[in-house]
Amino acid sequence: MIEQRELPEIFESFSDARKQGFMAMKNLKEQGKGVVGTFCTYVPVELFLAVGLVPVGLCSTSDETIGEAEKVLPRNLCPLIKASYGFAAADKCPYMYFSDLVVGETTCDGKTKMYELLGKIKDVHVMDLPHNQDRPASRAIWMEEIKRLKNRVEEKFGVTITVEKLHQAIRERNRERALLKKVYELSVMSPAPLSGLQQLQILFGAQFKFDHEKKVQELEETISRITEEYQNGRHPIPAAAKRIIVTGCPIGGVTEKFTRVIEESGAVVVAYENCTGAKQFDRQIDESADPYDALCDYYLNIGCSVMSPNPNRLELLGRLCDQFKADGVLEMVLQSCHTYAIESYTIGEFLKTRSIPFMSLETDYSSGDTEQLKTRISAFIEML
C-alpha cells in the first residue's frame, strides 16, 4: 500500500481549493465579476479570461444529486451527465448558482440532449464540436463556433474581446499549463516523489483557484518544495511500487476511488492521460499565431474518444508510457460512456504492440463497486 504521509501545507491548499473556492467565488461576484461555468476541456476559456471573466468547472463529480436528476433523465445515462444536470436542478452547486453563463459542447449525445434541459434552468450556450480533426470542414466549423462564442460573450457581458487581450490570456494560460505539466512530470523520477492521489489533488484543485498570479506562485512553490524534499532524501513512494498510467474518463471527486484502490494495492499512479491530467496540459497554444487560429488548432486537436478517428490519444498515451516508464495502464470508463467503452479495444490493441499490460474497468459514482475494483486491480498489479 502506498503510504499517504502527511502533506506539506501547500498540498492542503490545493486539496481544499474546491471547498474554499465557494467563498472566493462569492467574493468575486460581490466585486461584480462575471462567471462562466464549463464542463469540458474543449471550451476555450481564454475568451473569458481576456475580458476578466472567471471560468469555473461545474459540479459533476459527486452522486449527491443523481437521484434528483433521474426524475428527468434516464437512469442508464452516464453519471457525469446526470450529476451535471442534478446539481443545477437541485440548486446545490455554488459554482452553478454563481454562473452567469454556462458553456456546453456537443461532445456526446447525452450531454447534447441534457443541455436542452439545462437551458430551462440556466443561460446556456452550446458549442457544436466537430467529431473529426482532419477534414478542413471540421476546422472551419470549429473556428466558426469559437467566434460565435466570442460574440455571445461580448453580447452577454457588454465587453469587447480584442486581439491584444486574447494574446495576453493565451500567454497566462500557457504559463499555468506549463507549471501543471511540471507538477505531473515530477513523477518521471523513480521512485515517484508524490502519490497519484497527491498529484490529482493539485491538478484538480488548481482549477478552483481564481487568483491567477497567486495560483502560479503556489504552483512554483509546490514544485520547488517537492523537488527539494526529494533531493534531501524524502522518498515517500517505495522504489518497488509498480508505475501505472491512468487513462479514460476524467477523474475527480467521487472517482478518486479508482486511484485510491490502485495505490492501496501497492502501485503508484505516475500520470493521468485524461482530461484531469496530461490531455489538458501537455501542449501549449501557439503564442506567435493569430489567436483565433491558435485556439482553434489547440482545442480541436484534444485527443478525446469523441473524435473519430482519434490518433492524438494514442500518440499522447504512447509518449507518456515511454516517458514515465509505465509498468501498466489502467483505464477508467464511466458507466454508459459509449465512446470510451468502444475505444477500449483500440487502446488495448495499441498497448499490446508495446507489450504494456492494460485493463479497462467500468465504474459509476457510487461506492458500491469498490470491493470489485479492489479485486480486479490488485490481481492486475500482482500480475505485473
Side-chain angles (χ1 to χ4, degrees), residues 64-245:
E64 184 183 346
T65 61
I66 284 183
E68 183 70 23
E70 287 178 347
K71 293 177 182 176
V72 177
L73 300 173
R75 294 190 66 185
N76 62 344
L77 187 64
C78 160
L80 186 151
I81 298 172
K82 288 190 288 188
S84 300
Y85 177 78
F87 272 102
D91 206 15
K92 283 190 172 180
C93 172
Y95 297 124
M96 179 73 80
Y97 174 81
F98 286 124
S99 292
D100 302 291
L101 180 68
V102 174
V103 178
E105 71 307 306
T106 57
T107 42
C108 68
D109 292 345
K111 271 186 170 181
T112 301
K113 298 304 290 182
M114 182 273 284
Y115 291 140
E116 290 180 14
L117 302 173
L118 186 61
K120 300 179 187 299
I121 302 170
K122 297 292 293 186
D123 188 359
V124 176
H125 176 91
V126 180
M127 301 184 76
D128 192 359
L129 176 71
H131 290 185
N132 176 280
Q133 295 157 326
D134 297 333
R135 297 176 193 146
S138 296
R139 191 181 186 283
I141 291 170
W142 191 232
M143 177 66 85
E144 183 180 331
E145 286 301 294
I146 288 175
K147 293 193 173 176
R148 191 167 67 87
L149 177 61
K150 166 193 177 283
N151 294 337
R152 179 67 192 278
V153 168
E154 290 182 333
E155 179 184 351
K156 170 77 179 180
F157 295 97
V159 295
T160 301
I161 300 173
T162 66
V163 168
E164 290 73 21
K165 288 177 181 176
L166 199 48
H167 271 304
Q168 177 62 29
I170 288 171
R171 284 194 291 271
E172 288 182 4
R173 278 289 289 172
N174 272 347
R175 188 177 173 205
E176 182 181 331
R177 281 192 190 91
L179 287 170
L180 288 165
K181 184 175 182 179
K182 275 189 179 178
V183 167
Y184 71 73
E185 285 189 336
L186 288 170
S187 289
V188 167
M189 292 189 281
S190 183
L194 72 169
S195 72
L197 272 177
Q198 291 165 347
Q199 185 188 130
L200 189 60
Q201 285 170 355
I202 299 172
L203 299 179
F204 184 70
Q207 66 178 309
F208 299 103
K209 290 179 172 288
F210 306 113
D211 184 327
H212 175 74
E213 285 305 317
K214 188 176 178 184
K215 175 162 54 178
V216 164
Q217 183 183 349
E218 287 189 19
L219 285 171
E220 289 173 340
E221 289 175 7
T222 300
I223 294 164
S224 176
R225 284 278 298 278
I226 295 171
T227 304
E228 182 182 340
E229 292 192 10
Y230 193 84
Q231 289 171 344
N232 288 335
R234 183 180 185 272
H235 295 171
I237 309 299
K242 297 299 181 184
R243 300 166 66 84
I244 301 296
I245 288 178

Side-chain angles (χ1 to χ4, degrees), residues 9 11-12 24 59 78 112 130 163 175 198 249 282 287 328 345:
E9 188 178 341
F11 271 29
E12 297 289 6
C59 307
C78 160
T112 301
V163 168
R175 188 177 173 205
Q198 291 165 347
C249 295
D282 176 64
E287 297 179 7
Y345 178 79

Side-chain angles (χ1 to χ4, degrees), residues 239-313:
K242 297 299 181 184
R243 300 166 66 84
I244 301 296
I245 288 178
V246 168
T247 185
C249 295
I251 289 184
V254 67
T255 50
E256 285 183 10
K257 66 181 177 182
F258 197 80
T259 298
R260 188 169 291 107
V261 168
I262 293 170
E263 300 200 325
E264 286 177 353
S265 301
V268 58
V269 175
V270 289
Y272 295 88
E273 189 285 308
N274 59 17
C275 293
T276 320
K279 194 171 289 182
Q280 188 178 176
F281 308 121
D282 176 64
R283 296 175 298 123
Q284 293 272 291
I285 298 180
D286 187 351
E287 297 179 7
S288 64
D290 170 84
Y292 292 100
D293 282 330
L295 289 176
C296 185
D297 291 336
Y298 174 84
Y299 283 100
L300 186 60
N301 282 298
I302 292 173
C304 177
S305 64
V306 299
M307 292 295 171
S308 180
N310 186 23
N312 292 344
R313 182 182 178 198

